[in-house]
Amino acid sequence: MLNYNHDKPLVAYTYQNYLKGTEELLKRDIEYIKSHGVAFSAKLVRGAYMDKERMLSKKHEYPCPINNCYEDTSDTYHKSLEILFDETRKNRTKFKTVVASHNESTVLHAADRMKEFDIDKQDGSVVFGQVDGMGDQVSYALGRAGYLVYKSVPYGSIEDTLPYLLRRLLENRSVLNGVRRERELLRSALKHRLKQKCFPG
């Protein structure tokens, strides 16, 4: 960030919100970057290295750094949003947040808080992000409502991309529910179109 974010937030740090210390780390990083007068950008994710973290903490005999439950991770994520949105309200050109989540409740929470913090959905200070093919119903709903949405597309061989996609599924268990919901929505849309075609008017 110090090298590239002189005028605007181009480079972002990724914050794993399944870790207990994420909130304090985010606060420290913001203060450090602000003290150097450059822009700050953060990508918020839930995180997907829980098994590795547990294994390392057990191996090296230190307290496990992972939140106690899924709800605690959601709470940490929402607190991180509050910190970033508060800073964005003070200086919109120097802060950018990527809400990287497939979780519908988190996305709705972020959208609601943007309104309360009076953050323009089109100015680019807050954007949403999902993996292409995961949570598409969330992405489309955000786009229709006028929010800025990024869709990431994993590129490479199956050997390279499959571990990444599996981590994304582990990171957010709601994706599995989203897949079922997408299937239901597609089935409903197909029935509607067939009905219109076969029985017009």
Side-chain angles (χ1 to χ4, degrees), residues 106-118:
T106 291
V107 168
L108 287 171
H109 175 82
D112 287 341
R113 295 304 287 156
M114 284 176 68
K115 293 175 189 173
E116 291 168 22
F117 277 95
D118 195 29

Side-chain angles (χ1 to χ4, degrees), residues 21-159:
T22 298
E23 189 180 348
E24 291 306 314
L25 175 63
L26 178 59
K27 289 178 181 177
R28 286 199 305 270
D29 286 350
I30 288 173
E31 290 307 312
Y32 178 76
I33 294 299
K34 283 169 64 176
S35 71
H36 286 77
V38 299
F40 185 88
S41 182
K43 181 174 77 168
L44 298 182
V45 301
R46 273 184 162 71
Y49 299 94
M50 290 175 284
D51 290 339
K52 184 177 180 180
E53 294 282 4
R54 289 192 186 100
M55 182 183 69
L56 286 172
S57 66
K58 188 174 181 180
K59 179 180 178 181
H60 298 289
E61 299 181 338
Y62 60 80
C64 183
I66 298 171
N67 282 322
N68 296 326
C69 61
Y70 185 83
E71 289 72 24
D72 287 350
T73 295
S74 292
D75 186 55
T76 299
Y77 198 111
H78 293 173
K79 286 178 179 176
S80 296
L81 284 174
E82 293 292 309
I83 294 166
L84 289 163
F85 286 4
D86 186 50
E87 294 291 344
T88 300
R89 176 169 52 184
K90 297 171 188 172
N91 193 341
R92 295 173 191 248
T93 61
K94 289 285 189 177
F95 279 84
K96 181 174 183 175
T97 302
V98 180
V99 184
S101 177
H102 303 91
N103 183 285
E104 291 183 22
S105 62
T106 291
V107 168
L108 287 171
H109 175 82
D112 287 341
R113 295 304 287 156
M114 284 176 68
K115 293 175 189 173
E116 291 168 22
F117 277 95
D118 195 29
I119 297 173
D120 186 346
K121 62 177 84 169
Q122 284 285 316
D123 71 4
S125 59
V126 177
V127 299
F128 293 83
Q130 290 93 34
V131 177
D132 191 31
M134 292 186 184
D136 288 343
Q137 81 281 4
V138 176
S139 307
Y140 298 151
L142 285 166
R144 283 194 297 269
Y147 293 91
L148 299 179
V149 183
Y150 287 94
K151 296 295 283 186
S152 67
V153 181
Y155 177 80
S157 67
I158 292 176
E159 290 79 8

Side-chain angles (χ1 to χ4, degrees), residues 141-192:
L142 285 166
R144 283 194 297 269
Y147 293 91
L148 299 179
V149 183
Y150 287 94
K151 296 295 283 186
S152 67
V153 181
Y155 177 80
S157 67
I158 292 176
E159 290 79 8
D160 290 333
T161 57
L162 190 57
Y164 170 84
L165 292 171
L166 288 173
R167 285 198 301 272
R168 299 291 74 77
L169 285 170
L170 289 171
E171 181 179 4
N172 200 324
R173 64 186 182 188
S174 68
V175 170
L176 298 175
N177 292 328
V179 170
R180 285 190 286 270
R181 185 169 179 186
E182 281 185 43
R183 188 172 57 202
E184 291 168 5
L185 290 171
L186 287 170
R187 187 181 295 119
S188 175
L190 180 60
K191 285 181 180 178
H192 179 70

